């Protein structure tokens, strides 16, 4: 039990004005973008004069911005930059590693993360399953962007013109009869995947290996990585590609994306 004298000592160092300012900022939410001084006064149970001084200070330092033709306020750019600077400082691999480990445990299959490098996918993380028959992709492996599940997940947002530039003069090697042989075939394949938001493969790159992949997005919504579960077709979870498996992969991708600062657009 904490000694009462210790609590009194700690309270000496608390700055009430700072605490009130932070409390005022917490009143702003996704569903409540604009807040007025009287609302701050009422909800924080402080006088209007105190609420005004708090708002005036936050506005002067760029943390609040007055809305046009109004005495109400919205968050200023400095609040957003504080969050993005912190999120940007978090290493992608550090964020993704525990998520991939959980994905492996939830599926009892191997999970991977890959990044795009030109026309290749570079595998940067792997959480291997304990099965004798399992994916043999290791960290540092480079595979064809156009032919792999992570590769196609990385390309889901890429415009046709950019795909044409990327693969100009590039030989799109065939790894199975499912591999796109031309940019148009790749575009058609991406058009199939895009409404679902994930890529599902059955023996499309290596015989007997199935996979489901999903993109990872940064704070601006750009695809910065791809993750997948890829393992032997005999594993029970691989029979649920468009069910439980895709749900788990997409949830893992969403978790990493949110930790990077991504917030999906609100549904209308």
């Amino acid at each position: 039990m904490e000694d009462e004298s210790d609590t009194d000592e700690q309270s000496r160092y608390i700055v009430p004005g700072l605490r009130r300012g932070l409390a005022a900022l917490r009143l702003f939410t996704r569903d409540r973008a604009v807040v007025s001084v009287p609302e701050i006064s009422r909800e924080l149970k402080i006088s209007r004069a105190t609420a005004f001084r708090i708002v005036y200070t936050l506005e002067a330092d760029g943390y609040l911005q007055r809305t046009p033709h109004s005495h109400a306020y919205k968050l200023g750019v400095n609040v957003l930059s504080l969050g993005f600077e912190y999120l940007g400082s978090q290493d992608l691999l550090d964020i993704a590693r525990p998520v991939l480990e959980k994905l492996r445990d939830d599926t009892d299959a191997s999970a991977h993360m890959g990044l795009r490098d030109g026309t290749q996918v570079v595998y940067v993380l792997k959480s291997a399953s304990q099965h004798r028959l399992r994916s043999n992709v290791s960290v540092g492996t480079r595979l064809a962007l156009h032919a792999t599940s992570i590769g196609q997940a990385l390309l889901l947002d890429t415009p046709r013109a950019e795909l044409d530039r990327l693969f100009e003069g590039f030989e799109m090697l065939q790894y199975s009869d499912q591999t796109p042989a031309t940019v148009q075939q790749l575009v058609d394949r991406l058009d199939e995947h895009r409404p679902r938001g994930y890529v599902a493969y059955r023996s499309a790159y290596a015989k007997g290996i199935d996979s489901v992949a999903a993109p990872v997005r940064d704070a601006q919504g750009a695809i910065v990585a791809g993750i997948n579960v890829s393992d032997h077709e005999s594993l029970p979870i691989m029979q649920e590609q468009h069910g439980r498996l895709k749900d788990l992969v997409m949830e893992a991708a969403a978790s990493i994306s949110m930790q990077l600062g991504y917030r999906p657009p609100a549904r209308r």
Side-chain angles (χ1 to χ4, degrees), residues 94-264:
D94 289 340
I95 291 171
R97 186 173 287 108
V99 179
L100 284 192
E101 290 172 353
K102 183 177 186 302
L103 181 60
R104 173 202 60 202
D105 295 343
D106 288 344
T107 60
D108 197 24
S110 297
H112 312 83
M113 170 176 275
L115 306 180
R116 175 179 160 185
D117 183 16
T119 57
Q120 295 180 321
V121 178
V122 182
Y123 284 75
V124 294
L125 276 180
K126 176 181 180 178
S127 294
S129 72
Q130 302 305 310
H131 300 287
R132 183 178 63 84
L133 294 172
R134 61 176 181 261
S135 166
N136 61 1
V137 173
S138 58
V139 171
T141 296
R142 290 174 174 266
L143 298 178
L145 188 69
H146 72 284
T148 54
S149 63
I150 286 183
Q152 291 191 15
L154 286 165
L155 294 173
L156 283 179
D157 287 354
T158 307
R160 172 61 189 263
E162 187 175 335
L163 291 173
D164 286 333
R165 288 192 296 272
L166 179 63
F167 291 103
E168 184 177 5
F170 177 80
E171 183 182 1
M172 301 177 76
L173 296 178
Q174 301 293 283
Y175 299 88
S176 75
D177 58 5
Q178 302 176 58
T179 306
T182 65
V183 172
Q184 183 57 57
Q185 289 181 9
L186 177 59
V187 168
D188 293 342
R189 197 64 52 82
L190 296 175
D191 286 344
E192 294 175 14
H193 302 319
R194 194 173 296 111
R196 296 192 299 237
Y198 66 95
V199 177
Y201 266 23
R202 287 199 184 279
S203 294
Y205 189 86
K207 188 172 177 59
I209 299 295
D210 295 348
S211 65
V212 171
V216 171
R217 299 177 183 275
D218 66 10
Q220 286 71 47
I223 295 175
V224 293
I227 65 168
N228 75 3
V229 167
S230 178
D231 217 313
H232 200 269
E233 62 186 2
S234 64
L235 299 183
I237 193 66
M238 293 302 169
Q239 310 310 310
E240 302 181 60
Q241 276 196 322
H242 298 286
R244 180 167 174 264
L245 179 54
K246 64 93 173 171
D247 290 341
L248 290 170
V249 172
M250 292 183 73
E251 286 168 9
S255 174
I256 299 169
S257 299
M258 290 185 69
Q259 292 180 70
L260 292 174
Y262 175 65
R263 296 296 180 267

Side-chain angles (χ1 to χ4, degrees), residues 38-56:
E39 289 173 323
I40 293 173
S41 170
R42 182 174 64 253
E43 297 190 33
L44 299 188
K45 296 180 172 58
I46 57 178
S47 69
R48 288 201 181 189
T50 299
F52 175 79
R53 288 197 297 271
I54 290 171
V55 166
Y56 184 88

Side-chain angles (χ1 to χ4, degrees), residues 56-70:
Y56 184 88
T57 302
L58 291 171
E59 182 185 17
D61 287 346
Y63 295 104
L64 289 181
Q65 180 180 346
R66 187 179 300 206
T67 58
H69 313 297
S70 169

